[in-house]
Amino acid sequence: MKGVTVGNFFDFADELGPLKVIHVHEPSIGLQGVLVVDNVAKGPSIGGVRMAPDVTTEECARLARAMTFKNAAAGLPHGGGKAVLVGDPKMPKEQKAMLIRGLACALREVEQYIFAPDMGTDEECMAWVKDEIDRVVALPREVGGIPLDEIGATGFGLSHVVDVALDFCDFDIKGARFAVQGFGAVGKHVTNFLSMNGAIPVAVCDSAGTIHNPDGLDVKKLLALKDAGKSVTDYPNGNKLDTDAIIDIECDIWIPAARPDVIHEDNVNRLNTKMVIEGANIPITHGAEKILHEKGILCVPDFIANAGGVICAAMEYQGASQSAAFSTIEEKLRRNTREVLETAKRDQILPREASLVLARKRVDRAMSFRRWNLF
Ligand code: NAD
């Protein structure tokens, strides 16, 4: 079977979930997708819809679990879920709208899942979902939303995570050199926020390649290129390298903001940095995180670091304003980052282990209140 690989449900099921795995297939419009609702003990699940040509059920299940922990760690009244759609996100708009609307209609009855954007989908896609089923967050302003990608909710949160993590390192934000893998909704904004705080972007990449200048890149020029539909490699003053070269860039802070599993045991030693802040979901394998830890490279895991977007989305769902969402992101992410890094230091464990303890405690307690965790 092409497209979404149908994995064995029981290969990844455990005591937390997943509660449901739903495969959606409508050949007449080329719709192939998967929804994984992982755990709803804390409330209906929120998680983004990812569109990419090579998504799999397993990736979807892992991302849904990451959402369970992310939402729990962030103290939100929501469980974790995720949806994936097979397709090139740059397909013609009418075709994309058809697929997104088709997925929304197919999942109309699944009240345990609230749609949100992820890689390959955006606020406009969420507006199409609202038009069909109305159970969606991260909408455009015009239909009552807080456009989290437009305002950079996740990038804003990441900049606060960096700020707290610096208390556990030996360098300052002013003049710190950083590299960002992926220059989309997350990558662009974290680059902008960190630059505003005095850090220097020395390399960024997108799917077309990497641009590197050890003296620093001009963020406004990079943003203008992306707004014009170009690649960061069209930036004039820098070395153009291939996409993968971003891994080797010498810097103080390295931020993955693209695909899963980009850093693994076989390439982790290429990283030449002091701090890794996981903007993407599951960008680094557990084995590679362990190696980073052993080398003294501080790594803040995905579900703690990149929760800004989902906090914003959950606040929108409750009818809060944009400024309330921003101050909640700041408060929650600073508190969680400090707690996780202090626990990791005190107990001599990986930050991911400390994060899991924090999140798991919250999910277990929520589950203890339930007769079943089905509704
Ligand atoms: P996006 O689609 O807006 O941007 C992705 C960027 O990555 C693009 O610049 C693309 O060119 C680049 N890219 C794609 N494949 C690549 C590759 N193989 N190597 C290098 N770059 C590549 O997506 P986004 O919303 O910025 O999300 C990025 C990551 O952050 C995803 O893992 C997503 O799950 C995670 N995330 C996003 C949010 C959010 O608020 N958008 C919140 C939390 C986590």
Side-chain angles (χ1 to χ4, degrees):
M1 184 183 175
K2 276 175 60 194
V4 179
T5 315
V6 183
N8 183 352
F9 180 95
F10 299 106
D11 285 348
F12 44 79
D14 62 18
E15 68 282 8
L16 293 187
L19 171 64
K20 288 180 184 173
V21 179
I22 298 172
H23 287 89
V24 177
H25 185 213
E26 177 46 73
S28 68
I29 54 168
L31 171 61
Q32 266 189 300
V34 185
L35 167 69
V36 176
V37 176
D38 183 52
N39 186 295
V40 293
K42 286 178 68 58
S45 67
I46 293 189
V49 180
R50 173 167 298 192
M51 181 183 269
D54 55 353
V55 285
T56 66
T57 305
E58 195 209 339
E59 177 180 340
C60 189
R62 290 171 63 206
L63 291 165
R65 174 58 53 85
M67 289 310 299
T68 296
F69 289 140
K70 189 189 300 189
N71 294 344
L76 302 175
H78 293 286
K82 199 86 183 181
V84 295
L85 257 181
V86 178
D88 177 355
K90 295 202 174 106
M91 67 178 63
K93 195 161 158 178
E94 302 73 49
Q95 193 188 348
K96 188 166 181 177
M98 180 83 87
L99 294 184
I100 300 278
R101 286 175 182 276
L103 185 73
C105 291
L107 301 176
R108 186 185 298 279
E109 309 299 331
V110 189
E111 291 185 357
Q112 296 133 326
Y113 178 64
I114 299 166
F115 283 73
D118 185 45
M119 269 180 82
T121 63
D122 58 13
E123 286 102 2
E124 184 175 28
C125 299
M126 296 306 109
W128 297 330
V129 173
K130 181 174 166 66
D131 188 42
E132 299 295 339
I133 67 165
D134 211 26
R135 206 178 53 243
V136 56
V137 288
L139 288 160
R141 248 183 258 287
E142 295 73 14
V143 279
I146 308 175
L148 65 89
D149 281 343
E150 186 190 305
I151 63 175
T154 302
F156 173 73
L158 288 167
S159 70
H160 281 282
V161 172
V162 168
D163 195 45
V164 174
L166 283 167
D167 289 348
F168 298 79
C169 292
D170 62 356
F171 63 98
D172 193 62
I173 193 70
K174 299 268 179 281
R177 294 153 311 136
F178 68 99
V180 179
Q181 182 189 47
F183 205 66
V186 175
K188 280 191 297 195
H189 287 287
V190 71
T191 303
N192 199 27
F193 282 114
L194 287 179
S195 305
M196 288 194 298
N197 292 347
I200 300 168
V202 290
V204 297
C205 82
D206 56 24
S207 49
T210 297
I211 187 81
H212 176 221
N213 186 335
D215 295 329
L217 301 164
D218 183 324
V219 182
K220 282 203 177 76
K221 282 190 187 151
L222 287 170
L223 294 174
L225 282 171
K226 291 309 273 190
D227 285 347
K230 296 188 173 161
S231 161
V232 295
T233 55
D234 292 311
Y235 183 89
N237 310 315
N239 309 318
K240 295 178 195 4
L241 307 167
D242 65 27
T243 304
D244 190 54
I246 193 82
I247 297 173
D248 305 292
I249 300 294
E250 188 192 343
C251 58
D252 301 303
I253 307 166
W254 196 81
I255 300 181
R259 300 302 317 269
D261 297 329
V262 288
I263 300 295
H264 42 78
E265 284 88 329
D266 295 334
N267 67 4
V268 63
N269 286 317
R270 286 171 50 197
L271 283 178
N272 191 353
T273 190
K274 297 175 183 163
M275 179 195 289
V276 176
I277 305 293
E278 296 182 3
N281 287 316
I282 52 171
I284 304 186
T285 64
H286 291 195
E289 281 183 356
K290 195 157 175 277
I291 294 170
L292 288 177
H293 186 67
E294 285 160 4
K295 291 173 82 170
I297 299 170
L298 187 144
C299 176
V300 182
D302 48 6
F303 68 89
I304 295 295
N306 69 24
V310 77
I311 294 171
C312 185
M315 301 266 312
E316 174 188 317
Y317 206 60
Q318 291 157 17
S321 69
Q322 182 175 319
S323 62
F326 265 78
S327 55
T328 306
I329 291 168
E330 177 175 343
E331 181 227 308
K332 282 180 183 285
L333 292 201
R334 293 188 77 89
R335 194 180 53 222
N336 276 351
T337 305
R338 189 165 299 286
E339 183 175 336
V340 159
L341 294 181
E342 276 172 355
T343 305
K345 196 171 166 188
R346 186 191 60 227
D347 299 344
Q348 291 293 298
I349 55 175
L350 292 172
R352 179 169 295 277
E353 289 162 351
S355 311
L356 283 170
V357 170
L358 179 133
R360 184 66 200 249
K361 223 171 16 190
R362 294 177 187 173
V363 177
D364 285 348
R365 181 130 168 87
M367 287 174 82
S368 76
F369 300 138
R370 316 277 308 227
R371 180 155 57 100
W372 297 305
N373 289 302
L374 295 175
F375 306 106

